[in-house]
Amino acid sequence: MNTAAQMSEANARFHYMDNLRALAMLTGVVFHAALAYSVLAHPLWPTADRGYSLLIDAFAWFFHLFRMPLFFVVAGFFAALLVQKRGMGGMLNNRFMRIIMPLIVFWPLVYFSMGWLIRYAIADVQNLSPLLQMIKPWLANPQAPTAPPTLVHLWFLPYVMCFCILVWVASTLEWHQHLSGLIAWLDALTPMMKACLVPLALMPALFAVPAPFPAPESFFPQWWALLFYGTYFLIGFRLFHQARSVDHLRPYAPRLLLLSLLAYALFFYLLQTKDTTKPEFILQATFVLLQAYTGYWMTLVCIIFGQRWLDVHHGFLRYIADASYWVYLIHLPLIFAIQIPLMDVNLHWSVKLSLSVGATLSIAFLTYHLLVRGRLLGKFLNGNNSSSKTSA
């Protein structure tokens, strides 16, 4: 690629990637709100409600399988864009300012506010969730050990930074030269053949965790998450340099969507019928296989459809994309604050879910408009308007 083409590509506005990133984050708001009414998450979620439904599980865990994989593809794509535009040092500096600095500022606010909300719920709510019922005597014991802190829903930030550092390491060591044969072999495959082979690389990581795969919230990096999400980050990084590969995949989109839905239907059926004991190897391998293919194929479908329908310059979509980072950073304490009083309210789960999602998004977008957009906090999160296309 000549220099002029490189500059044109680096300065282009990838609207569909901005919008896909926003959708992945906003879907996370709905997902976390839905967990309170999930059958599968009922024993484990702090705001688990008396009302729950398998319908919630059917939709929530489907989006779970590709929501964060899609985000890491977008993160890898924008990392490659930053390298092209600003160099490796500029990319690392941008990622530190847009990822690590917000993590340093927002993690204490999120973590301690959620801790306070849980204590408030234990003291004031009558219909406690199973998890809060278990925590209540533990908190009442002054000699009980303190639970180790977690990254909560902000766990993805240090992983993105880690992958950006690994890109710099790989570039410095010129690993691409050692892998040139493998890369050439992969590039020679047909699009559908690659779509069938890539998920195999995701399977070893998924063998290490239960199904559906959990969020790696620990402060200590987990090898399965590094391998799993790192693969998606690498896919996004390569996608920036092979944008035409999306065009090659477009004819296969309906087929990939249908196969994804069939794979997920089988996964969800097995998830509901499996024994509570540790599954046998064949069943575990089936879960891993179905998660890997459903997640990867749906990620491809989102990218294909996103490029087709979301690659537009539209004021409303731009506003949503700019706001999505703030919305995601603050949404979980808002959800807890809204759902905790609802635990004692006698309403159908669908009404409670609608109230949770509607109120959370309303408050988050309102505070973005009043406190963040066009202000110092907005620049801190997204940079200048001209560079917001490369924020993660």
Side-chain angles (χ1 to χ4, degrees), residues 26-180:
L26 296 180
T27 303
V29 177
V30 180
F31 173 72
H32 288 138
L35 289 181
Y37 314 102
S38 159
V39 176
L40 186 63
H42 188 76
L44 307 172
W45 194 247
T47 59
D49 198 87
R50 290 171 295 168
Y52 44 84
S53 171
L54 277 176
L55 188 63
I56 289 291
D57 288 271
F59 284 96
W61 299 111
F62 176 63
F63 289 109
H64 170 74
L65 294 186
F66 63 90
R67 177 180 63 86
M68 290 310 296
L70 175 62
F71 174 85
F72 278 97
V73 169
V74 176
F77 185 94
F78 281 128
L81 171 61
L82 282 166
V83 172
Q84 185 87 291
K85 187 175 182 180
R86 306 184 184 184
M88 195 65 67
M91 181 272 290
L92 290 175
N93 179 69
N94 178 278
R95 299 297 80 183
F96 179 82
M97 296 302 299
R98 303 290 168 254
I99 293 174
I100 299 303
M101 290 303 295
L103 177 65
I104 292 172
V105 171
F106 281 90
W107 175 82
L109 300 175
V110 169
Y111 182 78
F112 290 109
S113 64
M114 290 177 64
W116 181 87
L117 287 166
I118 287 174
R119 287 175 170 80
Y120 163 76
I122 290 174
D124 286 19
V125 173
Q126 294 181 355
N127 298 293
L128 291 175
S129 65
L131 180 62
L132 293 186
Q133 291 177 28
M134 182 181 68
I135 293 175
K136 186 174 182 177
W138 177 68
L139 288 179
N141 182 6
Q143 296 181 344
T146 303
T150 69
L151 290 165
V152 288
H153 68 294
L154 305 183
W155 61 266
F156 69 99
L157 293 173
Y159 278 93
V160 172
M161 191 70 224
C162 178
F163 297 146
C164 290
I165 293 173
L166 288 176
V167 165
W168 168 67
V169 172
S171 175
T172 302
L173 298 179
E174 297 183 340
W175 284 0
H176 62 282
Q177 294 185 2
H178 303 290
L179 300 174
S180 57

Side-chain angles (χ1 to χ4, degrees), residues 275-281 283-284:
D275 194 350
T276 55
T277 61
K278 186 176 180 179
E280 298 295 331
F281 176 79
L283 182 57
Q284 183 185 13

Side-chain angles (χ1 to χ4, degrees), residues 111-367:
Y111 182 78
F112 290 109
S113 64
M114 290 177 64
W116 181 87
L117 287 166
I118 287 174
R119 287 175 170 80
Y120 163 76
I122 290 174
D124 286 19
V125 173
Q126 294 181 355
N127 298 293
L128 291 175
S129 65
L131 180 62
L132 293 186
Q133 291 177 28
M134 182 181 68
I135 293 175
K136 186 174 182 177
W138 177 68
L139 288 179
N141 182 6
Q143 296 181 344
T146 303
T150 69
L151 290 165
V152 288
H153 68 294
L154 305 183
W155 61 266
F156 69 99
L157 293 173
Y159 278 93
V160 172
M161 191 70 224
C162 178
F163 297 146
C164 290
I165 293 173
L166 288 176
V167 165
W168 168 67
V169 172
S171 175
T172 302
L173 298 179
E174 297 183 340
W175 284 0
H176 62 282
Q177 294 185 2
H178 303 290
L179 300 174
S180 57
L182 176 61
I183 294 172
W185 177 76
L186 285 172
D187 290 343
L189 296 175
T190 64
M192 199 62 190
M193 184 65 71
K194 281 191 281 190
C196 292
L197 288 179
V198 171
L200 298 178
L202 303 169
M203 292 178 62
L206 294 177
F207 268 107
V209 289
F213 54 84
E217 297 178 351
S218 170
F219 269 87
F220 297 97
Q222 300 179 28
W223 74 265
W224 77 266
L226 291 171
L227 176 59
F228 182 71
Y229 292 113
T231 300
Y232 279 108
F233 186 91
L234 179 61
I235 291 169
F237 196 91
R238 292 271 296 160
L239 180 62
F240 174 75
H241 298 287
Q242 295 183 326
R244 290 183 180 178
S245 61
V246 178
D247 298 328
H248 298 157
L249 270 172
R250 185 169 292 112
Y252 301 96
R255 190 184 314 176
L256 290 172
L257 177 59
L258 177 61
L259 289 172
S260 300
L261 293 174
L262 292 174
Y264 178 72
L266 179 57
F267 170 78
F268 187 70
Y269 171 77
L270 294 175
L271 197 64
Q272 302 308 313
T273 58
K274 73 174 182 178
D275 194 350
T276 55
T277 61
K278 186 176 180 179
E280 298 295 331
F281 176 79
I282 294 179
L283 182 57
Q284 183 185 13
T286 303
F287 279 131
V288 166
L289 183 75
L290 294 173
Q291 286 183 105
Y293 277 90
T294 301
Y296 182 66
W297 285 341
M298 279 306 302
T299 300
L300 294 181
V301 169
C302 289
I303 293 170
I304 295 168
F305 288 167
Q307 190 184 62
R308 174 65 180 85
W309 300 106
L310 298 177
D311 197 22
V312 293
H313 178 66
H314 191 282
F316 175 75
L317 292 178
R318 173 66 183 273
Y319 184 93
I320 298 298
D322 290 343
S324 61
Y325 195 13
W326 165 261
V327 172
Y328 193 83
L329 288 174
I330 69 167
H331 82 276
L332 199 54
L334 290 177
I335 288 175
F336 274 39
I338 294 163
Q339 288 184 338
I340 286 171
L342 290 176
M343 294 167 73
D344 285 334
V345 178
N346 188 23
L347 290 173
H348 193 265
W349 63 263
S350 61
V351 178
K352 291 185 178 182
L353 177 59
S354 299
L355 289 173
S356 301
V357 174
T360 298
L361 291 178
S362 297
I363 295 171
F365 277 103
L366 181 62
T367 54

